[in-house]
Amino acid sequence: MLTFKRAEKLSKKAAQIFLPVIDGKAVAPELAKLFQLNFEDELAFFAPSDKPLKAGEIFEIPVSAEGYKCERLAFVSLGKASASELRQAGAAVGRKLRGKSDDVYLHLDLKKDETKSFLVSANLGNFTWNLKSDAKTFTSNIEVRNGEIEVLKSAQLVSDAVNRARQLIHTPSNIKNPEWIARQAKKYANGAKVEIKSGTALKEFGGLRAVGGSSPKPGPRFIKMTYVPRKSGAKHIVIVGKGITYDTGGISLKRPYDIMIPMKSDMAGAAACLAVMSALKDMKANVKVTALLMCAENSISSTSQRPGDVITHYGGKTVEVLNTDAEGRLVLADGLAYAVKNLKPDYLIDIATLTGSATLGLGKQYAALYSRNLKWIKELRTAGDISGDRVWHMPLIDDYESALESDIADINHTADKGDFNAGSVTAALFLEQFVNGVNWAHLDIAGVGRAEADSGENPKGGTGWGVRLLLEWIGTFK
C-alpha cells in the first residue's frame, strides 16, 4: 500500500524521486540544480519530439548529491494531463512501487482535484493480494511536494476504501460466506450501526431465503449498516448491495464450468457498500446513509430453489422463478422492498454484478446506470467522470415490461416473455417493480466489477468499482 504526506522539499532520506512530465516538459528547477541536470536534454534523449510520451510511461536516470540517499529519478509522463491520463500515470507510479517499502518524493504541481485523482490511482495501482505462505506486506511512503493536507487525507481515505472492497472480493469463498461478510461489516463499521438478521428473522425475505437456502450452513444474512451525520434534517441515502458470496448458478448450473471460477466476486456490490460505509465517518459525510447487504450463497443442494418455484418477496409480491442463475435480482428485490417500507429514503440505489448483457452493451469501462430521475443521472455521471468510476445512462423501456408477465405469479423474474434481447434492461425493469415510485437508481456493474487482467488501476479480479463513485457523489451533499 501507499501512504501520503506533505513535503516542502526533497528529504535526504527519500530513496526515489518521481517527476511528472506534462506535454513533454518537466519543471523542477530546484531538483535540476541539486543534481546538476538539464531536464530538456534528458527528455530529448528519451522522448524526441516526433515520438511524444504516452501517459503512464516511466523512465529513470541515475542521480546523486552529497548527503542525499536518492540514486534514481523517474520521469513520469502525464500526457496532456487529462483526467484519464492522470489516472493512468498515477497507476503506473503505484505499480512501479509494488513490492517496495521506500520513502518516495513526488514532485507534483497540479490542481487539488488533479492531485487527488493521481494519488488515488497510485494507491489502486499498488494493490496486490494473495494467500501465499510467504506473502509479505509492503508500504511505501509518498512525500508529496506542497500537497494540501485535506487533499492527501481524502486521497488516502478513498483509495484505502476501494482497496478494502477489493480485499473482500478477492477472499476465496471457502473463507467468505454470508456470516463472514457480517463479521467484516462489524469490523469495518467505523462508527456505523450494524444490524444482522438470519434464520427465522428472515421469514419475510422470500428472495434472500430462496437463494440462500441452497447453502443452509451458515445460511443467508441481511446486514444493515447505518451512518447518521451530526447535521440534523439530512437527506437519507439507501444503498442496496448484491452479496452472493459464491454463485454456481444453482440447479440452473453455470456452463461451461470454468465461468464459475471467478464467481467469488459476485458479492462485489455488497463489498462496495461495506467499503463506502467504512469511510463515511472519516470523510464527515453530511448525509444519512444506510447500506443493506443482501448476502447468500447460490449453491446446489436438496434445499435449493427450483425453476418453476413461486416465491413471496418482502412486501408480498409473488415471483415465478424460471432460472436459478438469475439469483441476484431476487435478493436485491427484498432489499429494495424493505427500504421502501421501512427506511423512507430520499435516494435509493442498488449496485450489483447483475447481467452479462450490460457488458455486451458497454464493455468493461462503463457501468450501466438506470433511473428515471434525469437530474440525479447527471449528478452520478459527473461523479463518475471525476472519480474514474464512469457510468452510462441506459433506458428503462416501458414497452419491455410485458416480458415480466407470468401465468401463475405477479411477475416472472427473468423477463422471458417475448424476445426483446435486452437482458440488462429487463433486469432493471424487474427491480423497478419493488421500488413503489421511490427515487431509485440501479447500477449494473457486471462488466466493471471484475478485471480479466492485471493492468492499469486494476488487479486481476475484483476492482472495487463503485466506491469512488458513491463517495464522490455523497461528498457533494453539504
Side-chain angles (χ1 to χ4, degrees):
M1 67 173 290
L2 304 180
T3 62
F4 309 121
K5 69 177 184 179
R6 176 185 170 90
E8 301 294 336
K9 60 182 180 179
L10 174 67
S11 69
K12 292 187 176 182
K13 66 177 182 177
Q16 185 168 12
I17 297 170
F18 285 95
L19 178 60
V21 178
I22 301 176
D23 208 9
K25 299 178 181 178
V27 180
E30 70 278 16
L31 295 180
K33 180 179 180 180
L34 176 65
F35 296 115
Q36 298 180 359
L37 294 171
N38 185 314
F39 290 151
E40 288 187 11
D41 289 346
E42 298 292 345
L43 289 169
F45 176 79
F46 286 102
S49 58
D50 60 333
K51 293 183 179 180
L53 292 170
K54 296 178 181 179
E57 287 191 83
I58 296 176
F59 56 88
E60 294 180 319
I61 59 173
V63 295
S64 65
E66 186 176 352
Y68 287 82
K69 181 180 178 181
C70 182
E71 296 180 345
R72 309 291 293 179
L73 184 149
F75 291 101
V76 185
S77 175
L78 273 57
K80 294 184 180 296
S82 69
S84 61
E85 288 175 322
L86 286 170
R87 289 192 288 269
Q88 290 176 47
V93 169
R95 287 177 169 275
K96 185 75 173 175
L97 293 172
R98 282 184 176 181
K100 298 179 181 179
S101 291
D102 288 334
D103 291 313
V104 177
Y105 180 66
L106 179 60
H107 189 283
L108 279 186
D109 188 17
L110 300 172
K111 298 176 182 177
K112 292 180 182 180
D113 58 337
E114 293 173 335
T115 297
K116 178 181 175 180
S117 181
F118 184 96
L119 295 178
V120 168
S121 294
N123 204 12
L124 300 190
N126 188 254
F127 177 86
T128 59
W129 190 96
N130 68 73
L131 290 177
K132 294 182 179 181
S133 58
D134 60 350
K136 297 179 181 178
T137 300
F138 298 94
T139 301
S140 284
N141 303 305
I142 310 297
E143 300 173 351
V144 184
R145 174 184 174 269
N146 293 335
E148 295 195 23
I149 299 300
E150 289 305 311
V151 173
L152 303 186
K153 285 182 177 179
S154 181
Q156 191 79 65
L157 181 72
V158 172
S159 58
D160 284 349
V162 177
N163 286 339
R164 184 169 301 124
R166 290 173 169 183
Q167 291 168 352
L168 297 172
I169 299 167
H170 280 74
T171 299
S173 296
N174 64 315
I175 298 172
K176 174 178 60 186
N177 58 34
E179 184 179 35
W180 184 88
I181 296 289
R183 291 199 299 271
Q184 304 313 301
K186 291 181 177 179
K187 177 179 178 180
Y188 294 114
N190 192 21
K193 181 181 178 181
V194 179
E195 302 172 61
I196 300 165
K197 293 181 183 293
S198 62
T200 57
L202 295 175
K203 63 181 180 179
E204 295 182 79
F205 294 80
L208 191 60
R209 287 190 297 108
V211 177
S214 64
S215 183
K217 292 183 180 180
R221 293 292 188 277
F222 170 86
I223 305 165
K224 178 182 175 184
M225 304 178 72
T226 306
Y227 164 82
V228 180
R230 292 183 179 180
K231 177 183 176 181
S232 61
K235 295 289 187 181
H236 187 193
I237 297 169
V238 177
I239 50 178
V240 182
K242 173 186 172 184
I244 303 300
T245 57
Y246 194 77
D247 182 19
T248 66
I251 287 179
S252 305
L253 187 68
K254 291 183 183 292
R255 292 178 293 271
Y257 86 93
D258 56 351
I259 66 175
M260 257 189 256
I261 295 172
M263 285 300 111
K264 67 180 181 180
S265 64
D266 212 20
M267 41 64 72
C273 292
L274 193 160
V276 166
M277 298 303 295
S278 73
L280 296 179
K281 178 182 177 181
D282 293 334
M283 72 178 282
K284 298 180 174 62
N286 289 315
V287 61
K288 180 180 179 181
V289 183
T290 301
L292 306 179
L293 282 56
M294 311 304 292
C295 296
E297 181 174 345
N298 191 25
S299 189
I300 303 175
S301 72
S302 61
T303 55
S304 296
Q305 64 174 333
R306 297 152 291 265
D309 284 0
V310 175
I311 60 179
T312 302
H313 279 279
Y314 195 98
K317 191 179 294 292
T318 60
V319 170
E320 180 185 6
V321 176
L322 298 178
N323 182 336
T324 64
D325 194 22
E327 82 298 329
R329 65 198 70 183
L330 296 178
V331 302
L332 289 174
D334 278 344
L336 293 171
Y338 175 91
V340 169
K341 183 177 180 180
N342 300 288
L343 302 179
K344 298 180 180 179
D346 295 294
Y347 299 89
L348 175 60
I349 185 167
D350 69 77
I351 178 169
T353 47
L354 204 64
T355 70
S357 299
T359 308
L360 291 175
L362 297 175
K364 295 183 177 292
Q365 300 300 317
Y366 286 82
L369 166 63
Y370 294 88
S371 179
R372 298 189 188 271
N373 184 329
L374 297 180
K375 181 177 181 293
W376 189 16
I377 289 167
K378 184 177 180 180
E379 292 173 2
L380 290 173
R381 288 195 65 176
T382 299
D385 291 341
I386 292 172
S387 68
D389 283 352
R390 296 176 293 178
V391 299
W392 195 265
H393 178 209
M394 298 289 283
L396 287 160
I397 304 172
D398 293 330
D399 290 350
Y400 293 1
E401 280 194 18
S402 60
L404 299 172
E405 293 175 359
S406 170
D407 295 330
I408 62 173
D410 293 333
I411 52 176
N412 82 76
H413 89 302
T414 55
D416 277 1
K417 296 287 186 179
D419 188 21
F420 295 109
N421 295 313
S424 183
V425 176
T426 53
L429 288 170
F430 171 84
L431 294 175
E432 191 179 29
Q433 305 300 308
F434 297 86
V435 302
N436 198 28
V438 166
N439 192 23
W440 163 76
H442 163 57
L443 289 168
D444 190 337
I445 65 169
V448 293
R450 290 186 284 265
E452 301 300 325
D454 184 13
S455 64
E457 293 177 324
N458 294 322
K460 182 178 181 180
T463 62
W465 196 98
V467 177
R468 288 186 296 182
L469 170 72
L470 292 171
L471 289 178
E472 179 68 31
W473 175 63
I474 288 169
T476 63
F477 288 84
K478 303 302 182 183

